[in-house]
Amino acid sequence: MSTTLDLSQAARPPASAPNLTGLTREALRQALIAAGVAAPEKARMRAVQVWRWIHHYGLTDFAAMTDIAKDTRAALAENFSLARPEITSRQESSDGTIKWLIRFAPGVEVETVFIPDVAHSGALCVSSQVGCTLNCTFCHTGTQGLVRNLTAAEIVAQVQIARDDLGEWPTSMENRKLSNIVFMGMGEPLYNLENVAAALDIISDNEGIGISRRRITVSTSGVVPQLKALGETTGAMLAISLHATRDVLRDVLVPINRRYPLSELMAAIRAYPGLSNAKRVTFEYVMLKGVNDTPADALALVKLIAGVPAKINLIPFNPWPGAPYECSEPATIDAFASILKRAGYASPVRRPRGRDILAACGQLRSESEKLRASERRRLATPAA
Protein backbone atom coordinates (compact mmCIF):
# COMPACT_ATOMS: atom_id res chain seq x y z
CA MET A 1 0.00 0.00 0.00
CA SER A 2 1.30 3.47 -0.85
CA THR A 3 2.33 5.73 1.99
CA THR A 4 3.01 9.42 2.35
CA LEU A 5 6.62 10.18 3.19
CA ASP A 6 7.31 12.19 6.34
CA LEU A 7 8.76 15.44 5.03
CA SER A 8 8.37 17.50 8.17
CA GLN A 9 12.12 17.67 8.75
CA ALA A 10 13.03 18.54 5.17
CA ALA A 11 15.89 21.01 4.86
CA ARG A 12 15.00 24.52 3.73
CA PRO A 13 16.89 25.58 0.59
CA PRO A 14 17.64 29.25 -0.11
CA ALA A 15 14.47 31.23 -0.87
CA SER A 16 15.85 32.27 -4.27
CA ALA A 17 16.90 28.75 -5.31
CA PRO A 18 15.25 27.52 -8.55
CA ASN A 19 12.73 24.73 -8.08
CA LEU A 20 13.54 21.56 -10.00
CA THR A 21 9.91 20.41 -10.04
CA GLY A 22 9.04 22.10 -13.34
CA LEU A 23 12.10 21.12 -15.35
CA THR A 24 11.88 18.59 -18.16
CA ARG A 25 14.49 15.82 -18.20
CA GLU A 26 16.82 17.71 -20.54
CA ALA A 27 16.38 20.99 -18.66
CA LEU A 28 17.18 19.16 -15.41
CA ARG A 29 20.38 17.75 -16.88
CA GLN A 30 21.45 21.20 -18.10
CA ALA A 31 20.66 22.76 -14.71
CA LEU A 32 22.86 20.25 -12.88
CA ILE A 33 25.75 21.03 -15.23
CA ALA A 34 25.28 24.80 -15.01
CA ALA A 35 25.29 24.72 -11.19
CA GLY A 36 28.41 22.54 -11.09
CA VAL A 37 26.50 19.78 -9.30
CA ALA A 38 27.31 17.21 -11.98
CA ALA A 39 30.05 16.95 -14.58
CA PRO A 40 28.75 16.85 -18.18
CA GLU A 41 29.66 13.19 -18.60
CA LYS A 42 27.74 12.22 -15.42
CA ALA A 43 24.85 14.68 -15.67
CA ARG A 44 22.43 12.39 -17.53
CA MET A 45 22.80 9.61 -14.97
CA ARG A 46 22.50 12.07 -12.09
CA ALA A 47 19.41 13.65 -13.65
CA VAL A 48 17.76 10.22 -13.91
CA GLN A 49 18.36 9.64 -10.20
CA VAL A 50 17.04 13.06 -9.15
CA TRP A 51 14.06 12.75 -11.49
CA ARG A 52 12.88 9.51 -9.91
CA TRP A 53 13.23 10.86 -6.39
CA ILE A 54 11.17 13.93 -7.30
CA HIS A 55 8.49 12.45 -9.54
CA HIS A 56 8.29 8.78 -8.49
CA TYR A 57 8.86 9.10 -4.74
CA GLY A 58 7.61 12.66 -4.26
CA LEU A 59 10.59 13.81 -2.18
CA THR A 60 11.04 17.42 -1.11
CA ASP A 61 14.33 16.80 0.75
CA PHE A 62 17.57 16.23 -1.18
CA ALA A 63 19.07 14.60 1.93
CA ALA A 64 16.71 11.63 1.50
CA MET A 65 18.07 10.75 -1.96
CA THR A 66 20.03 7.80 -0.63
CA ASP A 67 21.61 6.57 -3.86
CA ILE A 68 23.36 9.91 -4.38
CA ALA A 69 26.62 10.79 -2.60
CA LYS A 70 26.26 13.04 0.46
CA ASP A 71 28.42 15.83 -0.97
CA THR A 72 26.30 15.85 -4.14
CA ARG A 73 23.10 15.96 -2.07
CA ALA A 74 24.53 18.91 -0.17
CA ALA A 75 25.34 20.68 -3.43
CA LEU A 76 21.83 20.06 -4.69
CA ALA A 77 20.37 21.56 -1.50
CA GLU A 78 22.62 24.59 -1.81
CA ASN A 79 21.60 25.34 -5.37
CA PHE A 80 18.04 24.14 -5.82
CA SER A 81 14.64 23.76 -4.16
CA LEU A 82 11.96 21.07 -4.14
CA ALA A 83 9.61 22.96 -1.84
CA ARG A 84 5.86 22.71 -2.27
CA PRO A 85 3.81 25.92 -2.39
CA GLU A 86 1.69 26.88 0.60
CA ILE A 87 -1.74 25.33 1.02
CA THR A 88 -3.89 28.21 2.25
CA SER A 89 -6.98 26.10 2.76
CA ARG A 90 -8.26 22.59 2.23
CA GLN A 91 -11.97 21.83 1.97
CA GLU A 92 -13.67 18.46 1.58
CA SER A 93 -17.18 18.16 0.22
CA SER A 94 -19.84 15.83 1.55
CA ASP A 95 -19.39 13.84 -1.70
CA GLY A 96 -15.64 13.38 -1.18
CA THR A 97 -14.47 16.13 -3.54
CA ILE A 98 -11.39 17.94 -2.20
CA LYS A 99 -10.46 21.53 -3.01
CA TRP A 100 -7.13 23.16 -2.18
CA LEU A 101 -6.43 26.89 -2.30
CA ILE A 102 -2.73 27.05 -3.17
CA ARG A 103 -0.57 30.15 -2.72
CA PHE A 104 2.54 30.47 -4.87
CA ALA A 105 3.36 34.02 -3.80
CA PRO A 106 1.52 36.94 -2.17
CA GLY A 107 -1.56 37.58 -4.27
CA VAL A 108 -0.84 34.58 -6.50
CA GLU A 109 -3.31 31.81 -5.66
CA VAL A 110 -5.23 29.12 -7.51
CA GLU A 111 -7.78 26.47 -6.68
CA THR A 112 -7.23 22.80 -7.52
CA VAL A 113 -9.93 20.14 -7.20
CA PHE A 114 -9.78 16.35 -6.84
CA ILE A 115 -12.96 14.55 -7.87
CA PRO A 116 -13.12 10.91 -6.72
CA ASP A 117 -14.86 8.05 -8.49
CA VAL A 118 -14.79 9.44 -12.03
CA ALA A 119 -13.12 8.08 -15.16
CA HIS A 120 -10.88 5.14 -14.23
CA SER A 121 -10.52 6.18 -10.62
CA GLY A 122 -10.34 9.90 -9.84
CA ALA A 123 -9.66 13.13 -11.72
CA LEU A 124 -7.67 16.20 -10.73
CA CYS A 125 -8.84 19.52 -12.14
CA VAL A 126 -5.77 21.75 -12.41
CA SER A 127 -5.42 25.45 -13.13
CA SER A 128 -3.12 26.97 -15.75
CA GLN A 129 -3.48 30.66 -14.90
CA VAL A 130 -4.20 32.80 -11.86
CA GLY A 131 -7.52 34.30 -12.89
CA CYS A 132 -8.68 34.48 -16.49
CA THR A 133 -9.12 36.98 -19.32
CA LEU A 134 -12.01 35.30 -21.12
CA ASN A 135 -14.92 36.62 -19.02
CA CYS A 136 -17.29 33.76 -19.81
CA THR A 137 -20.50 34.98 -18.23
CA PHE A 138 -21.49 31.65 -16.63
CA CYS A 139 -18.08 31.09 -14.99
CA HIS A 140 -17.08 32.38 -11.55
CA THR A 141 -13.40 32.49 -12.52
CA GLY A 142 -14.35 34.94 -15.24
CA THR A 143 -15.24 37.50 -12.58
CA GLN A 144 -11.60 37.57 -11.48
CA GLY A 145 -9.03 39.41 -13.57
CA LEU A 146 -5.91 37.69 -14.84
CA VAL A 147 -2.94 37.91 -12.48
CA ARG A 148 -0.43 35.86 -14.47
CA ASN A 149 0.34 32.54 -16.13
CA LEU A 150 1.44 29.65 -13.94
CA THR A 151 4.88 28.18 -14.50
CA ALA A 152 5.37 24.52 -15.35
CA ALA A 153 6.60 23.96 -11.78
CA GLU A 154 3.42 25.53 -10.37
CA ILE A 155 1.22 23.34 -12.57
CA VAL A 156 3.11 20.17 -11.61
CA ALA A 157 2.99 21.22 -7.94
CA GLN A 158 -0.81 20.98 -8.01
CA VAL A 159 -0.51 17.30 -8.94
CA GLN A 160 2.15 16.75 -6.28
CA ILE A 161 0.02 18.35 -3.57
CA ALA A 162 -2.92 16.13 -4.50
CA ARG A 163 -0.73 13.02 -4.39
CA ASP A 164 0.72 14.13 -1.02
CA ASP A 165 -2.81 14.41 0.37
CA LEU A 166 -3.99 11.14 -1.18
CA GLY A 167 -0.93 9.21 -0.01
CA GLU A 168 0.09 8.12 -3.51
CA TRP A 169 3.89 8.21 -3.25
CA PRO A 170 5.77 6.29 -4.48
CA THR A 171 3.99 6.01 -7.79
CA SER A 172 1.98 2.86 -8.31
CA MET A 173 0.15 1.97 -11.50
CA GLU A 174 -2.29 -0.17 -9.55
CA ASN A 175 -5.22 1.02 -7.44
CA ARG A 176 -4.28 4.67 -7.74
CA LYS A 177 -6.88 7.19 -6.66
CA LEU A 178 -5.68 9.86 -9.08
CA SER A 179 -5.74 8.47 -12.61
CA ASN A 180 -6.80 11.42 -14.79
CA ILE A 181 -5.78 15.06 -15.18
CA VAL A 182 -8.07 17.70 -16.65
CA PHE A 183 -6.91 21.23 -17.44
CA MET A 184 -10.34 22.61 -16.62
CA GLY A 185 -9.51 24.76 -13.62
CA MET A 186 -8.76 28.47 -13.60
CA GLY A 187 -7.48 30.08 -16.78
CA GLU A 188 -7.25 29.36 -20.50
CA PRO A 189 -4.54 26.69 -21.04
CA LEU A 190 -3.86 27.70 -24.64
CA TYR A 191 -2.83 31.18 -23.51
CA ASN A 192 -0.10 29.43 -21.48
CA LEU A 193 0.69 26.59 -23.85
CA GLU A 194 4.47 26.51 -23.36
CA ASN A 195 4.17 25.90 -19.62
CA VAL A 196 1.18 23.57 -19.99
CA ALA A 197 3.10 21.45 -22.53
CA ALA A 198 6.19 21.26 -20.29
CA ALA A 199 4.06 20.28 -17.28
CA LEU A 200 2.26 17.65 -19.34
CA ASP A 201 5.62 16.13 -20.38
CA ILE A 202 6.59 15.84 -16.72
CA ILE A 203 3.25 14.48 -15.50
CA SER A 204 3.07 11.83 -18.23
CA ASP A 205 6.66 10.54 -17.91
CA ASN A 206 6.58 6.80 -17.20
CA GLU A 207 9.48 7.01 -14.74
CA GLY A 208 7.70 9.65 -12.71
CA ILE A 209 4.04 10.38 -12.03
CA GLY A 210 3.17 8.28 -15.07
CA ILE A 211 -0.30 9.51 -16.05
CA SER A 212 -0.85 8.61 -19.70
CA ARG A 213 -1.43 11.40 -22.21
CA ARG A 214 -4.65 9.58 -23.10
CA ARG A 215 -5.80 10.35 -19.55
CA ILE A 216 -4.87 14.05 -19.73
CA THR A 217 -7.45 16.41 -21.21
CA VAL A 218 -6.87 20.06 -22.07
CA SER A 219 -9.99 22.20 -22.24
CA THR A 220 -10.05 25.41 -24.26
CA SER A 221 -12.69 28.02 -24.94
CA GLY A 222 -11.48 28.15 -28.52
CA VAL A 223 -8.08 29.81 -29.04
CA VAL A 224 -8.10 28.72 -32.67
CA PRO A 225 -4.49 29.57 -33.65
CA GLN A 226 -3.11 27.37 -30.85
CA LEU A 227 -5.19 24.24 -31.41
CA LYS A 228 -2.82 22.65 -33.93
CA ALA A 229 0.17 23.39 -31.69
CA LEU A 230 -1.62 21.83 -28.72
CA GLY A 231 -2.15 18.59 -30.61
CA GLU A 232 1.35 18.48 -32.06
CA THR A 233 3.26 19.34 -28.87
CA THR A 234 1.24 17.50 -26.23
CA GLY A 235 -0.79 14.69 -27.77
CA ALA A 236 -3.39 15.51 -25.13
CA MET A 237 -7.08 14.80 -25.40
CA LEU A 238 -9.02 17.87 -26.50
CA ALA A 239 -12.09 19.39 -24.86
CA ILE A 240 -13.94 22.41 -26.22
CA SER A 241 -15.89 24.72 -23.92
CA LEU A 242 -18.73 25.23 -26.43
CA HIS A 243 -22.04 26.05 -24.69
CA ALA A 244 -23.82 27.53 -27.73
CA THR A 245 -24.42 26.70 -31.39
CA ARG A 246 -25.06 30.23 -32.66
CA ASP A 247 -22.47 33.00 -32.81
CA VAL A 248 -24.92 35.58 -31.49
CA LEU A 249 -25.37 33.59 -28.25
CA ARG A 250 -21.80 32.30 -27.94
CA ASP A 251 -20.54 35.88 -28.28
CA VAL A 252 -22.29 36.53 -24.95
CA LEU A 253 -21.55 33.27 -23.12
CA VAL A 254 -17.97 32.80 -24.37
CA PRO A 255 -16.76 36.24 -25.55
CA ILE A 256 -13.63 34.86 -27.26
CA ASN A 257 -16.12 33.75 -29.94
CA ARG A 258 -16.14 37.35 -31.20
CA ARG A 259 -12.51 36.84 -32.22
CA TYR A 260 -12.75 33.21 -33.32
CA PRO A 261 -16.34 32.49 -34.43
CA LEU A 262 -17.84 29.04 -34.65
CA SER A 263 -16.98 28.49 -38.31
CA GLU A 264 -13.26 29.01 -37.61
CA LEU A 265 -13.39 26.98 -34.40
CA MET A 266 -15.05 23.98 -36.03
CA ALA A 267 -12.60 24.02 -38.94
CA ALA A 268 -9.68 23.95 -36.48
CA ILE A 269 -11.29 21.11 -34.51
CA ARG A 270 -11.75 19.02 -37.65
CA ALA A 271 -8.02 19.52 -38.36
CA TYR A 272 -6.88 18.64 -34.82
CA PRO A 273 -3.87 16.29 -34.99
CA GLY A 274 -4.75 12.68 -34.26
CA LEU A 275 -8.51 13.20 -34.08
CA SER A 276 -10.24 9.85 -34.64
CA ASN A 277 -12.88 7.55 -33.20
CA ALA A 278 -10.22 6.40 -30.74
CA LYS A 279 -9.33 9.99 -29.84
CA ARG A 280 -12.55 11.92 -29.80
CA VAL A 281 -12.97 15.57 -28.95
CA THR A 282 -15.17 16.34 -25.94
CA PHE A 283 -17.64 19.19 -26.28
CA GLU A 284 -18.59 20.76 -22.96
CA TYR A 285 -22.05 22.26 -22.85
CA VAL A 286 -23.35 23.98 -19.71
CA MET A 287 -27.11 23.79 -19.36
CA LEU A 288 -28.58 27.25 -18.74
CA LYS A 289 -32.30 27.55 -18.08
CA GLY A 290 -34.11 29.27 -20.92
CA VAL A 291 -30.85 30.21 -22.65
CA ASN A 292 -29.42 27.23 -24.57
CA ASP A 293 -31.45 24.20 -23.51
CA THR A 294 -34.28 23.76 -26.01
CA PRO A 295 -34.79 20.79 -28.37
CA ALA A 296 -33.96 23.18 -31.21
CA ASP A 297 -30.60 23.90 -29.53
CA ALA A 298 -29.91 20.18 -29.28
CA LEU A 299 -30.67 19.64 -32.98
CA ALA A 300 -28.46 22.60 -33.88
CA LEU A 301 -25.64 21.07 -31.84
CA VAL A 302 -25.96 17.79 -33.74
CA LYS A 303 -25.76 19.68 -37.03
CA LEU A 304 -22.79 21.81 -35.90
CA ILE A 305 -20.55 18.88 -34.94
CA ALA A 306 -21.64 16.51 -37.72
CA GLY A 307 -18.77 14.30 -38.83
CA VAL A 308 -16.54 15.09 -35.84
CA PRO A 309 -15.59 12.08 -33.66
CA ALA A 310 -16.99 13.43 -30.43
CA LYS A 311 -18.77 13.03 -27.18
CA ILE A 312 -20.74 15.76 -25.41
CA ASN A 313 -20.58 16.44 -21.69
CA LEU A 314 -23.78 18.11 -20.52
CA ILE A 315 -22.99 20.19 -17.44
CA PRO A 316 -25.82 21.32 -15.16
CA PHE A 317 -25.05 24.95 -14.33
CA ASN A 318 -23.41 25.26 -10.92
CA PRO A 319 -24.55 28.43 -9.14
CA TRP A 320 -22.20 30.92 -7.51
CA PRO A 321 -22.88 34.17 -5.64
CA GLY A 322 -24.26 36.77 -8.04
CA ALA A 323 -24.52 34.40 -11.01
CA PRO A 324 -26.85 35.70 -13.76
CA TYR A 325 -28.10 32.23 -14.75
CA GLU A 326 -30.09 29.30 -13.41
CA CYS A 327 -29.65 25.60 -14.07
CA SER A 328 -31.95 23.91 -16.56
CA GLU A 329 -34.60 21.63 -15.11
CA PRO A 330 -33.66 17.92 -14.92
CA ALA A 331 -36.40 16.96 -17.38
CA THR A 332 -35.12 19.57 -19.84
CA ILE A 333 -31.57 18.22 -19.58
CA ASP A 334 -32.80 14.64 -20.08
CA ALA A 335 -34.76 15.63 -23.19
CA PHE A 336 -31.71 17.45 -24.58
CA ALA A 337 -29.50 14.40 -23.92
CA SER A 338 -32.02 12.07 -25.59
CA ILE A 339 -31.81 14.03 -28.85
CA LEU A 340 -28.01 13.81 -28.84
CA LYS A 341 -28.07 10.08 -28.08
CA ARG A 342 -30.52 9.39 -30.91
CA ALA A 343 -28.05 11.14 -33.21
CA GLY A 344 -25.34 8.71 -32.09
CA TYR A 345 -23.39 10.85 -29.64
CA ALA A 346 -22.46 9.80 -26.13
CA SER A 347 -23.85 12.59 -23.99
CA PRO A 348 -23.40 11.93 -20.28
CA VAL A 349 -24.85 14.43 -17.84
CA ARG A 350 -22.03 15.43 -15.52
CA ARG A 351 -23.11 14.89 -11.93
CA PRO A 352 -22.37 18.05 -9.94
CA ARG A 353 -19.55 17.41 -7.46
CA GLY A 354 -18.35 19.69 -4.67
CA ARG A 355 -21.10 22.28 -4.98
CA ASP A 356 -21.22 22.76 -1.20
CA ILE A 357 -17.59 24.01 -1.20
CA LEU A 358 -17.82 25.93 -4.51
CA ALA A 359 -15.62 23.32 -6.19
CA ALA A 360 -17.89 22.33 -9.06
CA CYS A 361 -17.36 23.22 -12.71
CA GLY A 362 -17.43 26.99 -13.20
CA GLN A 363 -17.29 27.82 -9.49
CA LEU A 364 -13.53 28.28 -8.95
CA ARG A 365 -12.14 31.63 -7.87
CA SER A 366 -8.90 32.25 -5.99
CA GLU A 367 -9.85 34.99 -3.56
CA SER A 368 -8.44 34.22 -0.12
CA GLU A 369 -11.53 35.59 1.62
CA LYS A 370 -14.16 32.91 1.07
CA LEU A 371 -17.83 33.06 1.92
CA ARG A 372 -18.56 32.19 5.50
CA ALA A 373 -20.51 28.99 6.03
CA SER A 374 -23.53 30.95 7.22
CA GLU A 375 -23.53 33.00 4.01
CA ARG A 376 -23.31 29.85 1.90
CA ARG A 377 -26.29 28.38 3.75
CA ARG A 378 -28.26 31.60 3.21
CA LEU A 379 -27.57 31.54 -0.54
CA ALA A 380 -28.50 27.86 -0.78
CA THR A 381 -31.79 28.26 1.10
CA PRO A 382 -34.78 29.03 -1.16
CA ALA A 383 -36.63 32.22 -0.33
CA ALA A 384 -39.86 31.73 1.56
Side-chain angles (χ1 to χ4, degrees):
M1 184 176 70
S2 299
T3 59
T4 301
L5 299 175
D6 181 5
L7 304 174
S8 59
Q9 302 302 315
R12 296 288 183 182
S16 60
N19 197 308
L20 296 182
T21 296
L23 299 186
T24 61
R25 282 181 176 271
E26 177 58 20
L28 175 57
R29 185 183 74 85
Q30 294 288 349
L32 297 181
I33 294 172
V37 173
E41 64 273 14
K42 293 185 177 181
R44 188 173 301 279
M45 177 270 292
R46 189 70 68 219
V48 168
Q49 292 174 309
V50 173
W51 180 276
R52 280 185 57 79
W53 285 117
I54 297 172
H55 298 296
H56 179 73
Y57 290 99
L59 290 190
T60 60
D61 183 5
F62 291 109
M65 298 182 178
T66 53
D67 62 349
I68 298 175
K70 286 185 178 181
D71 58 343
T72 303
R73 283 181 264 167
L76 285 166
E78 289 172 5
N79 288 277
F80 303 110
S81 169
L82 296 176
R84 302 280 197 264
E86 176 188 357
I87 301 173
T88 301
S89 71
R90 178 192 186 277
Q91 295 174 280
E92 186 162 353
S93 168
S94 58
D95 63 25
T97 298
I98 303 171
K99 181 173 74 171
W100 300 272
L101 178 63
I102 301 170
R103 177 177 295 161
F104 298 106
V108 181
E109 296 175 330
V110 299
E111 291 187 324
T112 305
V113 177
F114 173 70
I115 309 163
D117 306 319
V118 297
H120 176 69
S121 171
L124 187 70
C125 182
V126 302
S127 296
S128 56
Q129 296 180 308
V130 183
C132 190
T133 62
L134 297 183
N135 301 313
C136 298
T137 53
F138 56 86
C139 180
H140 199 196
T141 307
T143 66
Q144 176 185 354
L146 179 69
V147 177
R148 67 166 172 82
N149 286 338
L150 293 180
T151 66
E154 290 166 340
I155 295 171
V156 173
Q158 296 173 66
V159 182
Q160 293 174 324
I161 283 172
R163 299 197 75 202
D164 290 344
D165 197 318
L166 296 170
E168 296 212 305
W169 303 111
T171 296
S172 170
M173 299 301 172
E174 301 295 329
N175 302 316
R176 57 167 56 183
K177 299 174 185 176
L178 198 171
S179 61
N180 290 60
I181 302 290
V182 291
F183 283 82
M184 296 181 183
M186 297 169 56
E188 168 52 65
L190 270 61
Y191 280 152
N192 189 21
L193 183 55
E194 181 178 355
N195 288 315
V196 167
L200 199 147
D201 284 347
I202 295 166
I203 294 165
S204 64
D205 190 285
N206 285 334
E207 293 186 16
I209 294 171
I211 295 178
S212 166
R213 292 174 189 268
R214 296 295 299 273
R215 294 191 179 278
I216 301 176
T217 300
V218 177
S219 175
T220 175
S221 292
V223 185
V224 168
Q226 292 287 71
L227 279 175
K228 182 179 179 182
L230 172 68
E232 291 177 342
T233 60
T234 71
M237 304 298 285
L238 174 65
I240 300 293
S241 188
L242 188 64
H243 314 302
T245 60
R246 296 172 288 120
D247 283 323
V248 65
L249 177 57
R250 196 165 190 267
D251 285 350
V252 175
L253 299 180
V254 189
I256 194 176
N257 193 74
R258 299 168 192 166
R259 181 178 299 179
Y260 307 116
L262 283 166
S263 59
E264 295 182 20
L265 175 59
M266 293 307 302
I269 291 168
R270 287 184 166 89
Y272 188 71
L275 189 63
S276 66
N277 286 329
K279 191 176 182 182
R280 296 176 296 170
V281 62
T282 297
F283 289 99
E284 299 165 307
Y285 196 96
V286 65
M287 301 298 295
L288 303 172
K289 184 176 182 179
V291 176
N292 65 351
D293 61 353
T294 68
D297 290 312
L299 292 170
L301 178 55
V302 170
K303 183 177 180 180
L304 180 70
I305 67 175
V308 178
K311 71 173 183 176
I312 304 149
N313 276 345
L314 299 180
I315 307 169
F317 174 67
N318 294 301
W320 39 269
Y325 301 107
E326 298 178 37
C327 182
S328 303
E329 299 294 337
T332 301
I333 297 175
D334 289 343
F336 197 101
S338 293
I339 293 172
L340 301 180
K341 290 174 183 176
R342 285 197 298 271
Y345 292 99
S347 51
V349 178
R350 186 182 297 175
R351 180 162 62 96
R353 304 293 295 272
R355 273 183 172 178
D356 55 331
I357 57 171
L358 293 179
C361 182
Q363 290 185 317
L364 302 189
R365 199 176 193 276
S366 65
E367 289 178 327
S368 295
E369 294 184 7
K370 298 296 177 181
L371 288 173
R372 295 179 180 178
S374 59
E375 180 68 357
R376 283 202 206 100
R377 287 194 295 271
R378 184 187 69 78
L379 290 169
T381 302

